[in-house]
Amino acid sequence: MPVVVVVGAQWGDEAKGKVVDCLAQDADMVVRYGGGSNAGHTVRFDGREFKLHLVPSGIFRPQVVNIIASGVVVDPQVLMEEIRSLQAQGVTVDNLLVSASAHVVMPYHRLLDALEEKQRGSAQIGTTCRGIGPAYADKAARKGIRMADLRQPERFAAVLRRALEEKSRLLERVYEVQCPSFEDIWREYEEYLPVLRPLIADTDPLVYTAVQKGQRVVFEGAQGTLLDLDHGTYPYVTSSHPVAGGACVGTGIGPTHIDAVIGVAKAYTTRVGAGAFPTEQPNETGNYLRERGREYGTTTGRPRRCGWLDAVVLRYAAQVNSLTAFAMTLLDVLSGLDTVQICRAYRLPDGQVTEQFPSDSAVLEQCEPVYEQLPGWKEEIADATSWDDLPENAHRYVQKVEELTGVPVAMVSVGPQRHQTFWRHGVYAERPVRTLQLLAQRQSQAE
Ligand code: GDP
Ligand code: IMO
Ligand code: MG
């Protein structure tokens, strides 16, 4: 396997946590490369359920080194809670490290996130209010606090005082709210630091060495392609780079070291928060998907917006991530429908039909989906353990996705538990050849 990136191919919550947990079985290292505690990755096995926000999903495999890399913004409060909760459930975190270069989400970032959202009024993004945008903004403005700063008390005290000088002016004069005091933050961090300090390490060389030695490394993405700051539906995006390129920037390895990029895609589409969503079904179909898929946010509990699968989105994800395969998850949710639909193109306001994903969100808002309708299947498929166990119409559905995107569906997930997963192709070997074959097939059909 050697090096594989797992990336969300839609708007997040595609079950990346589950896919990474499955891949971790054969991995040496799992590295979370971006985002922060806005992520909520669910892993279920042996009837148990874990919700992870910062800790990589390889944590349940004691032989795997789990790294929170430099591209992540770390909220020590959330990390502490997560570590304690894992330990209370008998999961060891002795195999967890945090990059010294990762930026810290401070209490004032959370406060600012909520205040900025309020100020946006009707143009709210619907952020998770976890301080992500303000923390990445400070990082880009070169005034953030990094995990390395937490290693020595005097250094932390100095950077915290400097940060508070500016933040207290901003919060108190512009927003007219009280800024958390130095003493309050210091007291809180005195509790966290003895636990967190031993985890802080220079992780870039560790990742690089693992890659150089041919070890099996899984890069775990958070959020999804369409939430990418540059390539997503701006401004209704997050502030990091969930795309596969983010794995390089966020961990310190170069692109030629990556052997495979798996795009995780639900068999339908969901989105949390505001922004364009062409295939959204605010009707009975959407409710059916939400209830069967238990589509309520892992981090915020918000009901997720639900709709049909969008192959324009998936093709775009294939393009910007160089996807070598899809993992199709939650296929079981579609059982019971008479017909299922896949969006294959968009109709623009002038009547023109395009297969391209528009880079301008304002244009996307106006796009009407052009659907292909396929027959559904009534059978429940949660017990399927191989491709052959799926009904014919489920085969057709998955094959249609391959045909519309040119990317093979290598893994299929039919339920939330670890064992409800099977592989269709050797993910690492045959893929590039098959991708090319499918693209050629698609090309000749178009002509
Ligand atoms: P992530 O953020 O991409 O890791 O995804 P989330 O964990 O936020 O959301 C995925 C949800 O779907 C979780 O509740 C999973 O337990 C659940 N899930 C994962 N795979 C499947 C599947 O194949 N079928 C069903 N029904 N649920 C699944
Ligand atoms: P995982 O890793 C789904 C969405 C928020 C909001 C926008 C910006 O579980 O897939 P932010 O708090 O990041 O500033 O919010 O991005 N969002 C997610 N949606 N899954 C996630 O993570 C998300 N992380 C952020 O709902 O629309
Ligand atoms: Mg999630």
Side-chain angles (χ1 to χ4, degrees):
M1 129 174 170
V3 180
V4 51
V5 180
V6 174
V7 57
Q10 295 157 321
W11 276 281
D13 301 326
E14 300 92 346
K16 299 174 290 295
K18 174 181 173 165
V19 172
V20 170
D21 169 63
C22 289
L23 288 169
Q25 184 179 1
D26 300 315
D28 298 297
M29 188 179 266
V30 173
V31 190
R32 175 70 191 273
Y33 64 82
S37 58
N38 47 352
H41 296 180
T42 317
V43 176
R44 296 184 204 193
F45 55 90
D46 301 339
R48 303 171 75 192
E49 178 180 276
F50 297 90
K51 291 177 188 297
L52 302 169
H53 301 288
L54 285 163
V55 173
S57 303
I59 199 69
F60 307 103
R61 318 278 187 169
Q63 81 285 3
V64 172
V65 178
N66 284 267
I67 291 182
I68 299 175
S70 49
V72 178
V73 288
V74 179
D75 186 331
Q77 186 188 14
V78 178
L79 184 56
M80 274 296 295
E81 276 168 21
E82 210 165 312
I83 289 173
R84 283 190 180 137
S85 149
L86 286 167
Q87 285 172 331
Q89 293 173 87
V91 180
T92 172
V93 293
D94 295 347
N95 50 341
L96 175 68
L97 292 171
V98 185
S99 169
S101 307
H103 278 247
V104 182
V105 178
M106 300 298 294
Y108 48 76
H109 289 134
R110 270 182 260 132
L111 198 53
L112 280 167
D113 196 353
L115 291 164
E116 284 172 7
E117 267 291 84
K118 202 165 156 207
Q119 194 178 261
R120 286 184 192 111
S122 62
Q124 281 190 3
I125 296 169
T127 75
T128 58
C129 287
R130 297 301 173 108
I132 306 303
Y136 276 114
D138 273 1
K139 172 176 171 170
R142 292 153 297 174
K143 55 188 180 186
I145 296 180
R146 304 211 288 179
M147 292 304 287
D149 295 317
L150 305 187
R151 288 204 272 219
Q152 290 135 11
E154 316 75 50
R155 181 168 159 187
F156 179 44
V159 290
L160 180 58
R161 279 194 203 285
R162 203 176 317 136
L164 283 175
E165 262 174 44
E166 187 220 352
K167 293 297 185 267
S168 60
R169 273 204 305 275
L170 174 64
L171 284 165
E172 284 157 23
R173 297 195 196 164
V174 176
Y175 291 103
E176 299 179 335
V177 300
Q178 183 77 36
C179 180
S181 71
F182 177 89
E183 287 71 27
D184 286 348
I185 297 177
W186 190 259
R187 210 172 307 120
E188 195 183 320
Y189 275 61
E190 265 183 339
E191 189 198 329
Y192 307 151
L193 293 182
V195 179
L196 297 186
R197 272 196 194 113
L199 309 183
I200 304 172
D202 292 344
T203 58
D204 285 14
L206 299 178
V207 178
Y208 181 71
T209 306
V211 168
Q212 278 293 97
K213 287 200 324 211
Q215 289 192 337
R216 297 158 303 178
V217 181
V218 179
F219 291 105
E220 176 174 1
Q223 291 76 51
T225 301
L226 277 296
L227 290 173
D228 186 276
L229 183 57
D230 280 315
H231 306 288
T233 46
Y234 192 89
Y236 299 99
V237 292
T238 189
S239 299
S240 62
H241 293 290
V243 293
C248 293
V249 181
T251 66
I253 63 134
T256 52
H257 281 115
I258 293 171
D259 298 301
V261 184
I262 300 182
V264 186
K266 280 179 182 170
Y268 49 97
T269 313
T270 62
R271 181 165 197 176
V272 200
F277 180 178
T279 62
E280 183 173 15
Q281 299 296 306
N283 51 34
E284 274 312 304
T285 302
N287 294 343
Y288 186 83
L289 297 173
R290 187 176 306 102
E291 293 317 311
R292 275 187 65 90
R294 287 188 280 171
E295 294 293 357
Y296 295 88
T298 311
T299 300
T300 59
R302 287 179 288 178
R304 296 175 181 148
R305 299 158 66 192
C306 296
W308 294 117
L309 190 67
D310 189 335
V312 183
V313 162
L314 297 189
R315 265 199 305 274
Y316 178 69
Q319 178 193 319
V320 297
N321 295 299
S322 297
L323 293 187
T324 50
F326 279 118
M328 182 173 283
T329 56
L330 293 107
L331 187 62
D332 53 302
V333 173
L334 294 184
S335 290
L337 294 164
D338 292 330
T339 55
V340 281
Q341 312 216 41
I342 302 179
C343 168
R344 64 170 178 81
Y346 295 149
R347 185 167 287 107
L348 297 163
D350 63 3
Q352 219 185 305
V353 172
T354 177
E355 293 195 344
Q356 288 292 320
F357 188 77
S359 59
D360 184 350
S361 288
V363 176
L364 186 65
E365 291 276 4
Q366 299 177 340
C367 285
E368 291 241 345
V370 179
Y371 287 112
E372 284 213 15
Q373 184 164 302
L374 283 85
W377 57 95
K378 294 288 177 196
E379 302 88 332
E380 291 294 347
I381 58 171
D383 292 331
T385 55
S386 74
W387 177 248
D388 293 339
D389 289 342
L390 295 181
E392 192 47 41
N393 287 346
H395 284 177
R396 275 194 213 161
Y397 187 78
V398 176
Q399 284 162 344
K400 177 58 77 177
V401 174
E402 293 186 317
E403 182 196 313
L404 290 171
T405 60
V407 178
V409 175
M411 182 200 216
V412 176
S413 172
V414 292
Q417 297 285 332
R418 187 186 272 171
H419 70 267
Q420 292 174 301
T421 317
F422 53 84
W423 295 93
R424 286 182 65 212
H425 315 295
V427 192
Y428 304 102
E430 307 165 27
R431 204 182 339 92
V433 177
R434 213 172 130 67
T435 303
L436 289 175
Q437 283 169 348
L438 284 160
L439 279 172
Q441 191 183 324
R442 205 174 126 63
Q443 192 72 33
S444 65
Q445 275 167 357
E447 280 161 9

